[in-house]
Amino acid sequence: MLNNYTYIYLHGFASSPKSNKAIYLQERFSEINLNLNILDLNKNDFFNLTLTRQIHQVESEITKKSTPIILIGSSFGGLTSTFLAERNFNIKAIILLAPAFNFLSHWQQNLGEEKLQKWQQRGNYWIYHYGEKKYSLLSYDFIVDLLEYEEKKLKRTLPTLIFHGLNDNVIPIQASREFVAKRSWIELIELDTDHTLGNVMPKVWQETYQFLNQNFN
């Protein structure tokens, strides 16, 4: 039964629990009498954000739950979900929205070597925070921490559904295609949209609901 699980949503990088995707999905879950828990991964301390901190934050929430977990992760929250599922076996499925696979390499390309070097030298960098609608400083420790994570080590077989836009210019769809190519248990749904998935959220919900019913009802 679907109500035997705890559902947790992880928002993207420089986003917030008030993101359009988070609120939309929370409303859809509510319509079928399920609660989608939306965590705030900023913790009022965006400067010290790292992937490791996010993982530890979610794990501290998971340990409070007596029921198995299903994670929904958007972008960097999707990457976080994947690493969490690798080592937490009470996570029974992950649903990923434009997951940020190869995040570091995409960032290096977008920022350019010169800006990255300045970031390293200065120790911090101004990032536009979409959740706060302003620029916020982020420590270079974010980059140092990311270097510790290798996606090739993600091998746990569990129900996994990925949505990715064909026109995504933040995390190109090729990142998800390459990830899925080596993991036959994952379903990838390609959609005619961009990184926000804004115009296809009804489709995302329809497929999510079907996925949950097939695997957990």
Side-chain angles (χ1 to χ4, degrees):
M1 297 289 291
L2 295 183
N3 57 7
N4 291 337
Y5 296 84
T6 293
Y7 302 88
I8 297 177
Y9 183 94
L10 307 183
H11 63 72
F13 174 76
S15 185
S16 81
K18 296 179 181 177
S19 77
N20 292 334
K21 289 191 287 288
I23 298 302
Y24 178 88
L25 288 174
Q26 189 176 52
E27 289 172 350
R28 301 292 80 73
F29 270 85
S30 180
E31 288 171 359
I32 57 171
N33 299 312
L34 296 175
N35 182 39
L36 179 60
N37 301 272
I38 304 175
L39 302 187
D40 185 353
L41 301 172
N42 298 297
K43 294 186 72 175
N44 293 318
D45 184 16
F46 181 70
F47 181 82
N48 290 305
L49 176 74
T50 62
L51 178 55
T52 296
R53 190 186 85 178
Q54 288 197 173
I55 288 172
H56 289 164
Q57 179 185 349
V58 179
E59 285 179 334
S60 70
E61 289 293 322
I62 286 173
T63 56
K64 300 174 188 174
K65 309 295 184 184
S66 58
T67 51
I69 309 294
I70 294 174
L71 289 182
I72 302 175
S74 171
S75 194
F76 196 65
L79 182 67
T80 307
S81 298
T82 313
F83 278 103
L84 277 159
E86 189 69 18
R87 68 189 217 181
N88 292 275
F89 291 95
N90 54 338
I91 297 172
K92 301 303 180 185
I94 51 177
I95 298 165
L96 312 177
L97 314 178
F101 298 131
N102 294 327
F103 184 86
L104 198 50
S105 65
H106 299 314
W107 244 31
Q108 288 168 334
Q109 289 171 14
N110 290 336
L111 275 179
E113 197 59 40
E114 186 180 342
K115 288 181 181 177
L116 272 172
Q117 285 178 358
K118 284 183 180 177
W119 186 359
Q120 183 175 11
Q121 291 161 4
R122 203 168 59 203
N124 55 55
Y125 190 77
W126 287 102
I127 301 288
Y128 186 75
H129 195 294
Y130 293 92
E132 298 176 0
K133 295 181 172 57
K134 65 176 186 179
Y135 280 89
S136 297
L137 282 171
L138 178 64
S139 169
Y140 190 73
D141 289 342
F142 178 79
I143 298 290
V144 175
D145 180 74
L146 266 179
L147 291 168
E148 298 298 313
Y149 290 86
E150 296 182 67
E151 291 171 23
K152 65 183 180 183
K153 293 182 177 179
L154 296 169
K155 295 179 179 177
R156 184 183 166 205
T157 304
L158 81 165
T160 303
L161 179 63
I162 298 178
F163 299 96
H164 213 125
L166 292 164
N167 311 311
D168 192 328
N169 60 4
V170 178
I171 305 293
I173 193 169
Q174 193 60 27
S176 281
R177 287 172 177 167
E178 289 172 3
F179 190 80
V180 170
K182 300 170 184 174
R183 298 164 179 85
S184 59
W185 62 90
I186 300 177
E187 180 183 0
L188 170 61
I189 296 178
E190 302 187 2
L191 299 163
D192 187 13
T193 188
D194 58 17
H195 190 66
T196 68
L197 304 178
N199 63 319
V200 294
M201 286 308 293
K203 174 69 171 174
V204 168
W205 169 242
Q206 177 190 348
E207 295 288 349
T208 295
Y209 185 58
Q210 185 176 323
F211 170 81
L212 292 173
N213 273 296
Q214 284 175 347
N215 287 285
F216 303 105
N217 232 346

